[in-house]
Each structure stands twice: as structure tokens, then as C-alpha cells.
Amino acid sequence: MLTSISPLGERARGNRWSLTVTWLVLGTLAGGAALGAVLGALGRSLPVTLAENWRLAALALTGAAAALWDLKVRRFPVHRQVNEDWLSAFRPWVYGWGYGLQLGAAIVTAVNTALVPMFMLAALLTRDPMSGLLVGAAFGAMRGLTVTLNRRVRNAADLRRLHHRLDALAHRARRLGALAAALLAAVAAVALVT
């Protein structure tokens, strides 16, 4: 999807990349926010006896597990991608919005990092739809903005360079995700003991 919605691809389809990306990012915000709000609302059904300390401990443990997973394992078993037939079947705002919703909702597309279930647990543990919505919107925004990495793709050579660059940076990105999970775990652990 990252390479399909590039300035090169959109120009070939007679579309403006900036408009398609705008719809995609709006879709990721909406998808992430909706999932986060639902999870926050579902969190209300957690037993009231679950103290804040328990929730912080769960988040700290999940963060540590997510960091270890991302450092050791290549990917989760969910391999579904967005339907690329949409690119030729629909208008750019439809596939931009549709892809964005799916990316923001996280679990309906490929799950490449343990940060996805970690975000979902964080939204659930907020036990509040509005807080869950904010967690989800932040997740969706980060996932959606990755499409801007291809903003300079104007020809096939640019696209090949982008692929090589992304392949070269994949291990660093995985380590950065693991670091983010570890930091969240550390913050939760510090909050737990203070």
C-alpha cells in the first residue's frame, strides 16, 4: 500500500497524491479512534475491583513482552493486506478513506509489530471511550502518516530506491518499535511504584 499510493502511482491513475493521502490519513484517524473508543467502552466491563495498579502492571508487562517480541520475531500470523483492486475500481477518496480505515483499525490488515495489540490493550485499560478514542487516534495517525515516506517518488528509480531504503531500515524500525514498547513499559512501571 505504501508504494501503491505514491505520487508516481497516483499520477498514473490521473489522481492527486496529496488528496488521496489526506483521505487515507483521515481514514486512519477515524479507524484508530473508532477502535480505541470501542475498546475503551469495553474496558468499562472489566471488574471494578481491578485497581489502577493492576492496569499499570498489565501495561508494563505487555510493554516488556511487546519489546521482546519485536526484537525476536519477524511478524504476527495475520498477513491480510488491503484490497489493491480498489485502486482501479474506486475514486481516490474512496480507496484512500477505505485503506485508512482498515489501517487505523489495525487488526484487519497485516500486523507487523507487537505495538498493535499493545495499543489495543492500552485503549482497553483506559476504561473510558474518550480516552480510548485518543489512544486510537494517536495510533491511527502514526500508522497513516507512514504513507508520506514516499512523497518524493516520481519515477520507477525513485520507487526502487525507496524499497531499498525501507528494506535497509526495517531492522532499525523494529528496534525503534521495541524501544517505544519498552519505554511505555518503564513509564507504567514507574507510575506503579510511585
Side-chain angles (χ1 to χ4, degrees):
M1 190 279 313
L2 177 64
T3 55
S4 298
I5 300 182
S6 67
L8 174 64
E10 287 303 287
R11 188 174 65 236
R13 287 185 288 276
N15 303 324
R16 288 182 36 207
W17 176 80
S18 59
L19 288 177
T20 305
V21 167
T22 298
W23 282 106
L24 186 136
V25 172
L26 289 173
T28 59
L29 281 167
L35 180 61
V38 167
L39 289 168
L42 288 173
R44 286 188 172 170
S45 66
L46 293 173
V48 175
T49 57
L50 293 180
E52 184 177 337
N53 286 350
W54 183 91
R55 290 186 286 154
L56 287 170
L59 196 55
L61 288 172
T62 302
L68 289 173
W69 179 277
D70 277 352
L71 287 174
K72 299 290 181 188
V73 180
R74 305 261 339 136
R75 59 176 52 223
F76 280 86
V78 179
H79 296 291
R80 185 186 178 283
Q81 291 289 5
V82 294
N83 186 344
E84 62 189 45
D85 293 337
W86 288 16
L87 294 170
S88 59
F90 298 113
R91 296 180 182 273
W93 71 268
V94 174
Y95 63 76
W97 176 258
Y99 288 171
L101 280 174
Q102 292 175 67
L103 290 169
I107 55 172
V108 296
T109 61
V111 177
N112 297 324
T113 174
L115 292 174
V116 171
M118 187 173 174
F119 129 72
M120 294 171 68
L121 178 68
L124 180 75
L125 292 177
T126 65
R127 299 183 64 177
D128 175 59
M130 185 54 73
S131 298
L133 180 143
L134 293 173
V135 169
F139 173 83
M142 292 304 295
R143 200 155 197 216
L145 289 172
T146 60
V147 78
T148 61
L149 293 172
N150 67 17
R151 68 187 175 279
R152 293 190 178 115
V153 173
R154 303 284 183 246
N155 54 49
D158 291 344
L159 193 56
R160 278 191 298 277
R161 277 192 293 278
L162 176 65
H163 275 280
H164 290 301
R165 196 167 128 233
L166 291 174
D167 287 343
L169 294 174
H171 186 65
R172 282 188 199 166
R174 185 164 295 282
R175 285 195 323 237
L176 187 60
L179 177 63
L183 285 173
L184 185 56
V187 168
V190 167
L192 183 62
V193 298
T194 58

